[in-house]
Amino acid sequence: TGQSAIITGASRGIGKEIAKQLANEGVKLSILGSSDQIHKTKEELHAEGYEDVLSFQVDVAKEKAVEEVVQATNNAYGSVDILVNNAGIGLFKPVEDVTVEEWRKTFDVNVQGVFLFTKAVVPIMKKAKFGTIITISSDVARYTIPNGALYTATKYAVQGFMGAISQEVREHGIRVGTVNPGMVDTYFADSKQGDPSKKDWLKVKDIANAVTYMARAPKHMMIDELHLHPFAQDYPR
Ligand code: NJP
């Protein structure tokens, strides 16, 4: 297909599965994470026969590093067709126990990271008059949960940001959408993927399927938002 994608937070969990699925679709990848685990993920993808994978150990909140990843991707593949803003962190505790450092860090990764990558890819996509920007937000962006004020605030921010961007770039042929999962079995919020207590939760494949569907949708189709949650997880509506 010749398309290329940048996937943030692809060293494990949902992002890693998105990387596998898009690679399987023939998409050339740039994957990144903040730890050196990201290079091991690249090795795994290489071992599975996917050659076109670049890996970057980068914090999504660092402007210069983000610009470098986007430029390196564009130089290597000649385009940036898909951006998947997946990197995110979660912290759940009573509001009076949340420190200013934790507040800042969570907003840096979950919101500023989305801003910086979007800002960096939009000029390239505008020039090409083509592109898809997908952000993994959360099903908490449509309700609220106790002990989740900080995390919920970041995802509401992301939702508003993506909504505005969508209208801004549409006339340039760029599609924007969010995938909003409920509880997914990953390493999120210091948990362990595969823990038996999470057996009824969504699997990384469920979310990656949604992202792949959105990213590979025919050009005439626009998917704004997909909400997915475990059948076992109910919400106040
Ligand atoms: O989490 P996890 P998920 N710069 O912890 C990377 C949303 N979501 O897959 O930095 C760059 O297994 C980290 O890599 P490393 C959630 O908000 C989830 O569940 O090397 N990368 C790892 O690859 C998030 O937006 C649930 O440790 C950074 C990845 O991010 C998305 O799903 C529910 C980074 C996180 O993998 C993926 O999370 C929901 C940084 N500064 C929404 N910091 C759920 N799991 O239940 C972290 O509603 N990463």
Side-chain angles (χ1 to χ4, degrees), residues 34 48 52 54 63 66 75 83 102 109 135 140 148 151 158 173 176 179 181 198 202 205 218 221 227:
S34 69
E48 289 174 25
D52 293 313
L54 301 171
E63 183 175 16
V66 168
N75 291 344
L83 166 65
E102 289 167 340
V109 179
T135 296
V140 300
Y151 181 69
V158 155
V176 171
V179 172
K198 301 197 280 184
L202 295 176
K205 264 195 171 40
M221 184 157 82
H227 283 267

Side-chain angles (χ1 to χ4, degrees), residues 48-203:
E48 289 174 25
Y50 304 118
E51 291 299 326
D52 293 313
V53 185
L54 301 171
S55 59
F56 301 90
Q57 187 180 348
V58 156
D59 179 347
V60 292
K62 298 277 190 303
E63 183 175 16
K64 199 164 176 300
V66 168
E67 282 169 2
E68 283 168 7
V69 170
V70 172
Q71 285 316 321
T73 305
N74 198 31
N75 291 344
Y77 303 137
S79 67
V80 180
D81 304 292
I82 301 163
L83 166 65
V84 184
N85 288 309
N86 164 79
I89 54 176
L91 186 90
F92 300 88
K93 52 165 113 165
V95 68
E96 67 269 31
D97 296 338
V98 176
T99 67
V100 170
E101 286 70 32
E102 289 167 340
W103 182 272
R104 288 216 177 108
K105 173 74 184 167
T106 310
F107 265 87
D108 277 357
V109 179
N110 293 10
V111 186
Q112 186 163 309
V114 173
F115 159 58
L116 290 176
F117 267 100
T118 305
K119 179 180 161 73
V121 303
V122 160
I124 295 168
M125 291 181 173
K126 270 190 180 176
K127 228 187 216 169
K129 296 186 174 26
F130 179 76
T132 303
I133 302 173
I134 299 166
T135 296
I136 312 302
S137 177
S138 173
D139 215 14
V140 300
R142 62 172 177 174
Y143 68 103
T144 52
I145 46 168
N147 297 329
L150 167 55
Y151 181 69
T152 307
T154 66
K155 294 301 190 181
Y156 268 75
V158 155
Q159 210 64 29
F161 178 84
M162 295 297 286
I165 294 300
S166 179
Q167 296 183 36
E168 200 174 305
V169 300
R170 192 157 167 264
E171 62 181 291
H172 300 282
I174 306 170
R175 300 185 294 192
V176 171
T178 59
V179 172
N180 300 39
M183 299 180 307
V184 193
D185 179 12
T186 68
Y187 299 91
F188 187 66
D190 284 331
S191 65
K192 216 175 155 297
Q193 190 168 327
D195 191 291
S197 67
K198 301 197 280 184
K199 74 173 175 30
D200 292 332
W201 292 23
L202 295 176
K203 310 298 170 217

Side-chain angles (χ1 to χ4, degrees), residues 24-41:
N24 192 44
E25 292 276 318
V27 177
K28 299 169 188 149
L29 301 181
S30 278
I31 58 172
L32 62 122
S34 69
S35 73
D36 62 4
Q37 177 65 31
I38 195 68
H39 303 308
K40 296 199 184 106
T41 301

